[in-house]
Amino acid sequence: MEGLNGKVVIITGGSKGLGNAAVKKFANSGSTVVIWDIDETSGNNLANQLQAEGKSVIFQKVNTCDEENVIQSVEIIISKYSKIDVLINNAGITRDATLQKMDKNQWQQVIDINLTGVFLCTKYVSPHMIKQNSGRIINTSSIVGIQGNFGQTNYAASKAGVIAMTKTWAKELGRKGICVNAVAPGFILTDMVRAMPPEVLQKMSDKVPLGKLGEAEDVADTYLFLASDNAKYINGATISIDGGLNI
Ligand SMILES: NC(=O)c1ccc[n+]([C@@H]2O[C@H](COP(=O)([O-])OP(=O)(O)OC[C@H]3O[C@@H](n4cnc5c(N)ncnc54)[C@H](O)[C@@H]3O)[C@@H](O)[C@H]2O)c1
């Protein structure tokens, strides 16, 4: 992938799961990676491990839905590196329950992190990209944001909202040299999914036209592509990474 060397890349939720795989891919491509996560132990371990390999990676403890925290963390990055080239809004949570059982707290937690967090990070990072007249913003939606899902009113609403924000920002920021895109992963084999009983995993795989679940690296590779020079004319798109599950 071209053009990633020397780029300053923020990856939210980079301590674990898909974000962790993305941190490694960008670091190995020569980018300077800033991990924003509330999981300090995993984030610092990952940063230390990659630094020991000579990679440029730092960890900042950031709660993406805390406005002051986001503002201050952006300022620290700008004072250290003078620019931000790529923002990957990957942090997200689930708090599943069927409609009648879902309480307002479960609703609000998911909306706060999956929607407000993405809004705040983009709001405070994008002015620096506008000044540079260049930048890439990559948002993490889900197949659930396209199709809905049983027991996921809050999550489906948040992930559909992410697609709508992506299209809005693609229109608002396109003329400022910034491309904004989203990814919509399907069933991806993260630690949480791996821990499921084999028969459940088999049932999930059977639903996928490719006949298998995705890997964290499949999502990380798409982040890498969307951040690279190779994707310079892609704006406002939502790329499915689901083995054909949504067709
Ligand atoms: N894993 C899948 O199959 C799948 C499928 C579709 C979409 N997604 C989306 O991909 C993204 C990553 O999912 P994952 O499976 O890697 O999840 P994960 O739970 O493994 O990792 C999420 C990371 O986000 C961090 N985080 C949570 N709240 C935060 C906050 N307020 N501020 C900063 N960091 C915070 C967590 O500490 C964690 O490190 C999420 O947006 C998720 O909705 C995942």
Side-chain angles (χ1 to χ4, degrees):
M1 231 63 79
E2 287 166 33
L4 295 165
N5 195 30
K7 290 279 155 74
V8 176
V9 181
I10 299 172
I11 304 180
T12 75
S15 292
K16 285 202 297 261
L18 309 185
N20 177 300
V23 169
K24 291 174 185 159
K25 291 258 178 194
F26 277 92
N28 286 329
S29 301
S31 300
T32 290
V33 185
V34 183
I35 305 167
W36 277 6
D37 204 297
I38 48 175
D39 182 341
E40 214 170 351
T41 308
S42 307
N44 273 322
N45 284 345
L46 178 61
N48 291 341
Q49 176 200 325
L50 290 166
Q51 281 165 14
E53 294 169 16
K55 309 291 183 330
S56 177
V57 180
I58 63 164
F59 172 78
Q60 285 182 319
K61 187 175 182 187
V62 180
N63 178 352
T64 54
C65 46
D66 178 331
E67 190 166 15
E68 274 313 305
N69 199 179
V70 171
I71 292 171
Q72 284 168 11
S73 305
V74 167
E75 289 314 317
I76 291 169
I77 297 175
I78 291 299
S79 62
K80 200 170 163 62
Y81 301 114
S82 309
K83 62 170 188 167
I84 299 170
D85 298 298
V86 181
L87 168 66
I88 304 184
N89 284 307
N90 163 85
I93 61 161
T94 52
R95 294 287 181 273
D96 296 351
T98 54
L99 174 60
Q100 302 305 331
K101 290 186 179 150
M102 184 174 291
D103 60 32
K104 192 168 170 232
N105 193 35
Q106 287 168 306
W107 165 264
Q108 200 58 52
Q109 278 184 316
V110 170
I111 296 302
D112 284 348
I113 294 172
N114 295 10
L115 214 44
T116 310
V118 175
F119 162 69
L120 290 174
C121 292
T122 308
K123 177 174 167 62
Y124 292 108
V125 167
S126 56
H128 299 283
M129 293 180 170
I130 291 170
K131 261 187 226 154
Q132 295 157 201
N133 201 31
S134 72
R136 297 288 166 87
I137 296 166
I138 303 163
N139 298 325
T140 310
S141 180
S142 163
I143 187 173
V144 171
I146 299 166
Q147 297 192 327
N149 199 23
F150 192 96
Q152 293 198 308
T153 298
N154 48 5
Y155 187 75
S158 72
K159 293 301 186 182
V162 164
I163 293 174
M165 292 198 295
T166 300
K167 291 177 180 174
T168 301
W169 298 336
K171 288 178 178 175
E172 289 188 7
L173 301 175
R175 284 176 199 276
K176 320 269 184 203
I178 302 166
C179 296
V180 189
N181 294 290
V183 302
F187 296 139
I188 307 296
L189 264 173
T190 52
D191 291 347
M192 195 178 64
V193 177
R194 268 198 189 88
M196 289 178 174
E199 60 277 15
V200 176
L201 288 178
Q202 190 56 51
K203 269 191 190 157
M204 287 164 76
S205 303
D206 290 346
K207 288 187 186 162
V208 182
L210 280 183
K212 58 184 177 185
L213 305 184
E215 308 274 347
E217 286 68 26
D218 295 325
V219 178
D221 278 333
T222 313
Y223 288 154
L224 213 60
F225 168 64
L226 287 171
S228 74
D229 291 348
N230 306 65
K232 67 184 188 305
Y233 201 61
I234 301 178
N235 190 31
T238 299
I239 299 188
S240 291
I241 313 166
D242 63 6
L245 186 61
N246 77 101
I247 49 178

